Amino acid sequence: MIDKIKELIEEAEAFTTQSKEEVEAFRIKYLGSKGLLKAYFAEFKNVANEQKKEFGQTINQLKKTAEDKVNALKEELESKEETKSVYGDLSRPGEPIEIGARHPISIVKNQIIDIFSRIGFNVSEGPEIEDDWHNFTALNLPEYHPARDMQDTFFIQTDPDILLRTHTSSVQVRYMENNKPPIRTISPGRVFRNEAISARSHCFFHQVEGLYIDKDVSFADLKQTLQYFTTEMFGKSKIRLRPSYFPFTEPSAEVDVYWGLETETDYKMTKGTGWLEIMGCGMVDPNVLENCGIDSKTYSGFAFGMGIDRIALLLHQISDIRLLSENDVRFLEQFKSAL
Ligand code: DAH
C-alpha cells in the first residue's frame, strides 16, 4: 500500500493543467471528503504497528504534495487571468489604427507659412487676449477713432483696456516693439469679433498677418510678394490692387486674385466677375512705425492680412464656416488625403 501511495505522490507532483475545473477535480480526488487521503487515513488503524510510522509519513507527504499542487495551480491560473484582464487577449490580431486628418484651417495655415518661409519670413505669435494699445492705439486707431467701429470688439468684463484681439495686426506691433529691422514675419492666429454667427461669418476666425520692414521697401516689393504668394498658393498670378483704407497702412489696398470663369463653381465663387478678394494690405503708416519705436525716416515697410477660414472655404468648397469649428468627424475625415 505504501508503494501505491508513493506512486500517487509522483502522479500528483507531475500533474498539471490549464483548466480550473481540472484543478478542482484533482482536489476532490485527493483531498475531498470522499477522496483518496480520507480513505488512506481511515486505513491507518488497520496498518501493522511497525509500519504505522512510515505509512503515516507517506500519507502526510501525499497530503502536502496534493495541497501544494492545488495551491500552485490555482495561483498560476489566477495570475494568468489578471494579465488577461489588463491586456485583453494578447493573441488577438491588432485593431487597425485610424489615421487622423489635419484640420482644414491647419492645412491652409501650414501652406501659407511654407510659402512665406521660402522667401525669408519667420513665424511670430501674440496673445489672443490683448490690450487696447496693441490692438488699436499703436495701429493708428486712437480712442474714438471711427474706424474702431469696423471691428465689433469683445471686451473682457468691465475693463475697456483688455479685449479679445480683433485682428492679428496686434502681433505686428508686438514684433516691432521687440525686434529691430530688417523684419520679415508672418503671424497666424485666432481673432474674435462680436458678430452674429451664420454660414458666412463667425465670432472667431483665423488670420495671417504679414510684415516686412527694411530700408527702401516700396509698394512694388509688396505687389511682387503678393504675386509670388498667389501663384504659389492658388496657381494664379494675375492680381489687382484696389485702393482701400486701413488706419495702419498708407496707401492701403484690397487684393483680388483673378480666379477665372472656366467652371460653374468659378462663377459662383466670384459672383460672375472672375475676381476673388483675398486680403488687405498697404505700406505701414509712419505713425505706426514710430509708435513701435522704429525710425520712419530710415525704414519703411509693407503689411498684409488675410483670413485663413475664408481661403479654406474657397479652396475646399466648404459652404458653411460653422463646419470649421463644430468638430464633426464626418466632416473632418474628408481631409485625410490633404497635406
Ligand atoms: N487687420 C485687417 C483686418 O482685420 C487686415 C489687414 C489689412 C491687415 C491691411 C494688414 C493690412 O496688415 O495692411 O481686416
Side-chain angles (χ1 to χ4, degrees), residues 126-313:
E128 292 178 359
I129 301 174
E130 254 309 354
D131 51 37
D132 182 282
W133 170 257
H134 292 98
N135 195 79
F136 290 128
T137 308
L139 287 164
N140 221 13
L141 277 140
E143 211 182 340
Y144 305 121
H145 192 287
R148 283 196 182 201
D149 293 346
M150 279 161 63
Q151 305 181 348
D152 300 305
T153 310
F154 282 119
F155 292 95
I156 303 283
Q157 293 193 339
T158 49
D159 187 348
D161 192 48
I162 306 293
L163 45 88
L164 296 180
R165 66 177 176 196
T166 59
H167 52 183
T168 43
S169 302
S170 56
V171 189
Q172 269 191 39
V173 178
R174 287 186 178 271
Y175 200 86
M176 285 191 274
E177 283 173 343
N178 295 312
N179 297 275
K180 294 261 152 294
I183 288 171
R184 266 173 289 175
T185 190
I186 54 167
S187 325
R190 181 171 284 178
V191 301
F192 306 83
R193 289 191 199 172
N194 193 357
E195 273 175 31
I197 299 170
S198 70
R200 311 190 116 255
S201 69
H202 211 294
C203 60
F204 63 79
F205 50 99
H206 304 78
Q207 290 186 333
V208 175
E209 188 79 10
L211 179 68
Y212 183 16
I213 310 284
D214 204 346
K215 287 176 184 153
D216 302 322
V217 178
S218 71
F219 204 88
D221 297 319
L222 168 60
K223 189 167 180 189
Q224 186 63 52
T225 306
L226 295 175
Q227 206 165 24
Y228 158 76
F229 170 71
T230 59
T231 311
E232 295 294 306
M233 187 76 197
F234 309 113
K236 320 257 180 198
S237 58
K238 190 166 159 187
I239 59 170
R240 74 179 178 198
L241 299 174
R242 273 181 295 113
S244 182
Y245 172 74
F246 298 103
F248 27 90
T249 42
E250 182 59 36
S252 305
E254 214 89 56
V255 185
D256 297 343
V257 54
Y258 189 68
W259 202 260
L261 282 172
E262 274 157 38
T263 65
E264 204 179 321
T265 330
D266 293 348
Y267 264 89
K268 259 199 216 156
M269 280 165 68
T270 66
K271 299 198 185 89
T273 66
W275 291 96
L276 262 185
E277 182 188 318
I278 52 157
M279 64 171 111
C281 68
M283 300 306 292
V284 180
D285 193 298
N287 284 343
V288 176
L289 294 175
E290 295 294 335
N291 285 340
C292 302
I294 291 177
D295 179 6
S296 63
K297 300 217 168 46
T298 316
Y299 293 104
S300 59
F302 62 73
F304 54 86
M306 63 187 124
I308 304 181
D309 306 61
R310 217 180 101 76
I311 296 176
L313 296 187

